[in-house]
Amino acid sequence: MSAPTRLIAHLDMDAFYASVELLRYPQLRGQPVVIGGGRAHQPVTGPDGELRFATLRSYAGRGVITTATYEARAFGVHSALSSAIARRRCPDAVFVHGDHAFYSQVSGQIMELFRTFTPLVEPLSLDEAFLDVSGARRLMGEGAEIAARLRAQVLDEVGLTCSVGVAPSKFLAKLASEEAKPTATPRGPVFGTGVHEVRPGDELAFLHPLDVSALWGVGPKTLAKLKNMGVSTVGDLAALPLDPLVAAVGRAHGEHLYALSHAVDDRPVVPDLAPKSVSHEVTFPEDLTDVDDLHREVLRLADSVATRLRRAGLRSRTISVKVRYPDRETVTRARTLEQSTDRSRTIVEVADELLFGLPVHRGVRLLGVAAGNFTEGSEQLSLDLFGSDDAGQGVDGAPAADWDAAYDAVDAIRERFGSRSVGPATLAGRADRPGESPWGPGQEPDQADGQTRGNHG
DNA sequence: TCTGGGGTCCTTATGCTG
DNA sequence: TCTGCAGCATAAGGACCC
Ligand SMILES: Nc1ccn([C@H]2C[C@H](O)[C@@H](COP(=O)(O)OP(=O)(O)OP(=O)(O)O)O2)c(=O)n1
Ligand SMILES: [Mg+2]
């Protein structure tokens, strides 16, 4: 007996970060808008009381576009595009700095809404989730009908549009949602269908004409290898025997692609996935060479990782440091501890040692700290003794001696009260530095650092 | 002035233990 | 005792995704 056909929905918000910004700045609707990294830049209120937005023209930092409205996409601007190139393509696009905390909050609302349909919700990112709606059929009708209801309710309750794919498996549902997306044209965005269903029996007819690069896991490297083997569509891939495929792209990847090309995908929708790592990294506006700067930065990053571990009730056994040199060579160094920890002091010390085992005299373009290898069990109670909402940021500028004292104090408090949420920044207070701005001469508006925090269940 | 930051999973090499 | 090997943990690098 084969298992009954599942009904999987994949929901993917349209131009997510940008659409969320349009919720609070509706006057930007219809314009090309891009979201980028760099430092905080929300609009400033001008003398006339009107909000003034920055444009790409005035942006001068290192960084990429995280997403763009469909109006901006018509100019060839898209996710992961260097801001420098984006500026050339669309200098008049409104530039808004990403506010991760805000998107995360909106994402939470959306995921909760999904859970009113089924508990089987697997978030893939802030703006995307799989739902196993197999059980909802009797109650709510056919696949396309359920999808339309979900979409309507997201629009109604959150005010955002999304695209929904419905299919018998996860990867087909994901490809189907792509099919339902709006498109960008020089004359403006064109609505998509919003919902696309791939019905049992139609799988291969839908799948085989698609470009292989549409498959999840086929990036530039794999695409080049497949092109070499004469593969350009998923149908071409399906015509390939397993062995040469595995020889070309490796065992796991080859078997995976082989199965997908034949529309075989049994992966279940898994809610409540536990995170496997927590990291924080920065690319500096200018490469760092000063040793004191490096000590300070690694402390800041490590402390913020530690703070997030505590808030999440996680304890890590492996700490790693990542360095990108000015020539973009990237190395990582890791150490596994005998005992797992969530202590700032420990993580900072380990990270600092790992960093200074490297030839940092070469200069440092990027520095990162990550914690992984989490130990099981015991969710920790989060006792927020000091209202330390900002602990983990704002380490900048405090002299090292203060930090030593702060860590000792924090550790003492933690031992006495078992708090998991007191960071040294809470105790040390903050000496806000001006901070280098990617913005040209003039005001550097608000600083909110839209940083951190993957949501993942 | 090209080329982010948050993640996941896989591969390969290497050391340790039985 | 020597060697091979299985199995596991760790470290480092890379490909990929949103
Ligand atoms: N390289 C990327 C890709 C995406 N994102 C962020 C910004 C996106 O808004 C969000 C969702 O990614 P999507 O690929 O779903 O892209 P969008 O939702 O922006 O557009 P759409 O889904 O309509 O194509 O993730 C990012 O930071 N970096
Ligand atoms: Mg999206």
Side-chain angles (χ1 to χ4, degrees):
Chain A
M1 280 289 290
S2 65
T5 358
R6 296 179 298 161
L7 189 61
I8 310 293
H10 178 257
L11 289 95
D12 186 329
M13 309 306 297
D14 300 335
F16 183 57
Y17 290 3
S19 304
V20 173
E21 293 298 341
L22 295 187
L23 284 181
R24 58 176 164 187
Y25 304 127
Q27 63 270 45
L28 295 180
R29 250 171 231 289
Q31 294 186 55
V33 176
V34 302
I35 311 298
R39 284 197 121 77
H41 188 266
Q42 296 310 131
V44 275
T45 310
D48 48 1
E50 293 270 301
L51 282 184
R52 298 238 20 156
F53 293 89
T55 62
L56 260 180
R57 192 187 306 286
S58 61
Y59 185 85
R62 280 174 166 170
V64 300
I65 300 303
T66 59
T67 195
T69 58
Y70 281 78
E71 286 83 357
R73 293 184 199 194
F75 292 86
V77 173
H78 54 79
S79 294
L81 183 72
S82 150
S83 298
I85 297 175
R87 193 181 64 241
R88 268 172 251 148
R89 296 195 180 163
C90 192
D92 293 319
V94 170
F95 182 101
V96 179
H97 180 267
D99 182 351
H100 201 278
F102 187 33
Y103 312 145
S104 176
Q105 195 182 313
V106 174
S107 176
Q109 272 184 58
I110 295 166
M111 297 300 162
E112 277 313 308
L113 196 165
F114 292 167
R115 286 187 255 269
T116 65
F117 280 72
T118 170
L120 295 178
V121 175
E122 179 182 335
L124 282 189
S125 66
L126 288 187
D127 91 316
E128 216 173 308
F130 287 112
L131 278 65
D132 188 328
V133 289
S134 304
R137 271 175 293 203
R138 297 176 61 165
L139 212 62
M140 305 204 38
E142 292 306 295
E145 197 181 329
I146 299 172
R149 285 206 213 189
L150 275 160
R151 210 173 99 87
Q153 207 165 329
V154 173
L155 183 58
D156 192 55
E157 293 183 20
V158 191
L160 296 176
T161 63
C162 62
S163 302
V164 191
V166 199
S169 63
K170 286 169 96 170
F171 97 108
L172 285 173
K174 187 156 167 55
L175 291 171
S177 72
E178 194 58 39
E179 197 70 24
K181 282 278 173 193
T183 47
T185 77
R187 269 191 285 285
V190 174
F191 291 117
T193 58
V195 173
H196 188 89
E197 180 172 14
V198 177
R199 310 179 79 100
D202 296 343
E203 292 96 334
L204 295 182
F206 168 72
L207 187 60
H208 282 182
L210 298 178
D211 196 286
V212 265
S213 60
L215 289 184
W216 216 33
V218 177
K221 300 287 182 181
T222 307
L223 184 63
K225 289 176 187 165
L226 293 177
K227 279 269 144 69
N228 268 337
M229 306 172 73
V231 170
S232 67
T233 67
V234 180
D236 297 338
L237 185 61
L240 227 55
L242 177 59
D243 284 351
L245 187 57
V246 166
V249 305
R251 183 159 187 84
H253 201 194
E255 288 180 358
H256 184 63
L257 291 182
Y258 182 86
L260 294 190
S261 74
H262 293 91
V264 173
D265 177 18
D266 292 333
R267 291 170 299 175
V269 173
V270 184
D272 306 316
L273 287 172
K276 301 234 158 90
S277 66
V278 168
S279 67
H280 192 174
E281 64 186 55
V282 264
T283 296
F284 302 110
E286 276 146 353
D287 300 339
L288 251 48
T289 36
D290 185 81
V291 167
D292 291 339
D293 286 347
L294 287 167
H295 279 296
R296 270 205 346 264
E297 289 298 325
V298 77
L299 177 137
R300 199 176 62 82
L301 296 167
D303 177 53
S304 117
V305 165
T307 300
R308 284 163 60 204
L309 288 180
R310 273 176 245 126
R311 290 190 184 174
L314 297 169
R315 299 171 57 86
S316 159
R317 222 157 69 80
T318 306
I319 307 301
S320 66
V321 159
K322 171 159 117 177
V323 165
R324 173 126 70 219
Y325 299 108
D327 64 3
R328 299 187 61 81
E329 186 196 347
T330 306
V331 299
T332 61
R333 291 294 179 267
R335 182 182 306 168
T336 294
L337 313 173
E338 283 184 21
Q339 256 215 303
S340 69
T341 187
D342 60 3
R343 279 177 79 214
S344 284
R345 170 75 104 124
T346 307
I347 295 173
V348 166
E349 282 172 359
V350 170
D352 192 81
E353 278 178 38
L354 290 170
L355 172 61
F356 283 91
L358 259 28
V360 292
H361 60 264
R362 289 175 60 185
V364 174
R365 179 189 172 96
L366 171 149
L367 178 60
V369 175
N373 201 354
F374 300 139
T375 50
E376 297 292 324
S378 65
E379 277 292 297
Q380 304 286 343
L381 179 66
S382 177
L383 233 181
D384 203 337
L385 292 180
F386 293 83
S388 59
D389 289 20
D390 283 332
Q393 304 182 18
V395 170
D396 298 25
D402 289 20
W403 282 103
D404 275 357
Y407 284 126
D408 289 344
V410 165
D411 292 338
I413 288 166
R414 231 172 257 140
E415 262 149 47
R416 296 210 342 243
F417 299 103
S419 166
R420 296 283 155 203
S421 61
V422 179
T426 319
L427 296 172
R430 233 164 294 119
D432 287 329
R433 274 196 317 163
E436 311 83 292
S437 164
W439 296 94
Q443 290 303 83
E444 173 180 322
D446 234 288
Q447 203 124 323
D449 199 3
Q451 104 185 305
T452 62
R453 280 243 337 260
N455 199 23
H456 310 296

